[in-house]
Amino acid sequence: MTMQNVEIPYGAYWSTPFTKWQGSLQYLHSMKFAAHVAKQELAKRSIDPTVFDSGVLGMTINQYQSFNGAPWPLFDIGAVHTPGHVVNQVCATSARGLFAAASEVMCGMASVSLLMAADRCSNGPHIFYPNPQGIGGAGQSEDQVFYNMMNDPMGGHSMMQTGENVAKRFDITREELDAVTLRRYEQYQEALKDEQAFQKRYMTLPLSVPTPNFKKEACVVTGDEGVFPTTAEGLAKLKPVMEGGVITFGNQTHPADGNAAIIVCHSDKAQALSANSSIKVEVLGFGQARDDLAYMPAAPIEAAKRALHMAGISIEQVDAIKTHNPFAVNDVALAKALNIDVMQMNNFGCSLIWGHPQGPTGLRAMIEMIEELALRGGGYGLFTGCAAGDTGMATVIRVTDR
């Protein structure tokens, strides 16, 4: 069944720049920072936070008192009576969060929902789990970010191994991956033209970064931090991370920090909240899937097919494709499976280049997809993303004249 009467008011979304691991945003509490940014962005759009009758927080990395969930940042922005909840599907958190917000709107639980996604890979928590029956009461501990990237609880493998497995399944070569990586870097340069004109369609630049207590300015960020110059020669010099493999530090993404948000509402409310009421942005379909153990980058393929089916369209009708691509492998596998041109996906940027703060990664990609479709004069957009547990989610959005 296609989603009905669920829209994203045009321009009612934003993203911070993404900054590198242990970079300019490393000291900021994810939830507090998301609220800090949202409050400013809502004020710029003259949107009263009391309009929200529901909220969703997409977050994957624990923060101090994050037990309290979405009601905390909602309260901080002035939505003091707005209920909400937290969603976590690791790298697919944004697509899952959009599904949660859209579902509430479609079934009548909410008319206007704020979806915020926020994460900080930097300074990830070190968690201790008590075990009274352990020797001397000793328990277990983990570094939530790093340890889980390296140790799958079901297979014991690393995320990197899943990329290598999918590369073998689809006969993907090192040369293919490097060529796609170079293309993605070139596409990102288009977003920086004319003093970052494309990014400024949804991003406040330069961004004043507050101190941890949010009382002063710590620094100013003028754009994404951690993007490194990419050349064919530079990529070719890098050794595979795993012996005999095809994935290098060049053709995979990097951990990052940041946040993003989107307003989701019933069609009756969209025009009043839109920056341009003549542009209609509809949420049409979702898909989810799970692949074999240790084949995470392949999961978005089936998820994409299911999202397209729900939206009632074919891949040939899609005008813009954005992916969360922790590895270039993701894009090559998707393109081969769906018979599409891998070099035409991810115009203006993607997580392979601007980094991966987990929760908000997909949300920024979907925001960029909306803006790309608006520049094209409309059309269908497909977003896909993989996640830990060999799962994937996909979303179909349509931009048209109202």
Side-chain angles (χ1 to χ4, degrees), residues 135-194:
I135 298 174
Q140 289 181 300
S141 64
E142 66 173 354
D143 292 300
Q144 190 183 24
V145 179
F146 182 75
Y147 183 81
N148 285 289
M149 291 290 181
M150 301 301 295
N151 297 275
D152 182 272
M154 294 160 282
H157 53 270
S158 67
M159 295 282 185
M160 183 76 63
Q161 186 63 61
T162 73
E164 293 290 356
N165 291 346
V166 172
K168 290 180 180 178
R169 177 188 284 182
F170 286 90
D171 296 320
I172 298 171
T173 66
R174 162 74 181 274
E175 290 72 25
E176 287 179 281
L177 297 182
D178 286 355
V180 168
T181 301
L182 183 61
R183 170 62 178 158
R184 296 292 176 260
Y185 181 75
E186 292 171 346
Q187 289 167 304
Y188 177 75
Q189 302 312 302
E190 294 296 312
L192 304 183
K193 286 185 175 179
D194 302 321

Side-chain angles (χ1 to χ4, degrees), residues 121-137:
C121 287
S122 298
N123 303 311
H126 182 78
I127 303 173
F128 178 77
Y129 302 95
N131 178 13
Q133 296 181 339
I135 298 174

Side-chain angles (χ1 to χ4, degrees), residues 353-369:
I353 303 301
W354 34 247
H356 179 28
Q358 295 191 175
T361 307
L363 208 55
R364 174 173 171 176
M366 286 185 271
I367 289 169
E368 289 191 350
M369 185 172 73

Side-chain angles (χ1 to χ4, degrees), residues 6 24 28 42 55 64 70 82 93 105 114 124 135 179 192 195-196 222 276-277 329 343 359 386 397:
V6 180
S24 295
L28 295 174
L42 290 170
Y64 181 68
T82 302
T93 290
V105 170
L114 176 62
I135 298 174
L192 304 183
E195 299 181 337
Q196 298 163 280
T222 59
N276 184 342
S277 59
V329 168
M343 297 302 187
C386 64
I397 290 171

Side-chain angles (χ1 to χ4, degrees), residues 3-4 6-8 98 102 281-286 395-397:
M3 302 289 292
Q4 296 179 351
V6 180
E7 296 188 26
I8 297 169
L98 183 60
V281 184
E282 299 172 276
V283 180
L284 297 184
F286 294 91
T395 303
V396 175
I397 290 171

Side-chain angles (χ1 to χ4, degrees), residues 16-19 24 188 192 195-196 199-200 203-209 219-225:
T16 67
F18 287 176
T19 64
S24 295
Y188 177 75
L192 304 183
E195 299 181 337
Q196 298 163 280
Q199 292 181 344
K200 287 178 179 177
M203 185 184 293
T204 295
L205 294 172
L207 177 71
S208 173
V209 178
C219 65
V220 174
V221 175
T222 59
D224 296 314
E225 181 183 276

Side-chain angles (χ1 to χ4, degrees), residues 72-129:
W72 182 5
L74 287 168
F75 186 94
D76 281 357
I77 68 171
V80 298
H81 293 115
T82 302
H85 66 282
V86 174
V87 170
N88 175 3
Q89 196 179 340
V90 201
C91 315
T93 290
S94 286
R96 178 64 64 181
L98 183 60
F99 174 75
S103 298
E104 288 187 2
V105 170
M106 187 172 172
C107 75
M109 281 183 62
S111 59
V112 184
S113 180
L114 176 62
L115 166 60
M116 294 177 284
D119 261 324
R120 177 179 65 167
C121 287
S122 298
N123 303 311
H126 182 78
I127 303 173
F128 178 77
Y129 302 95

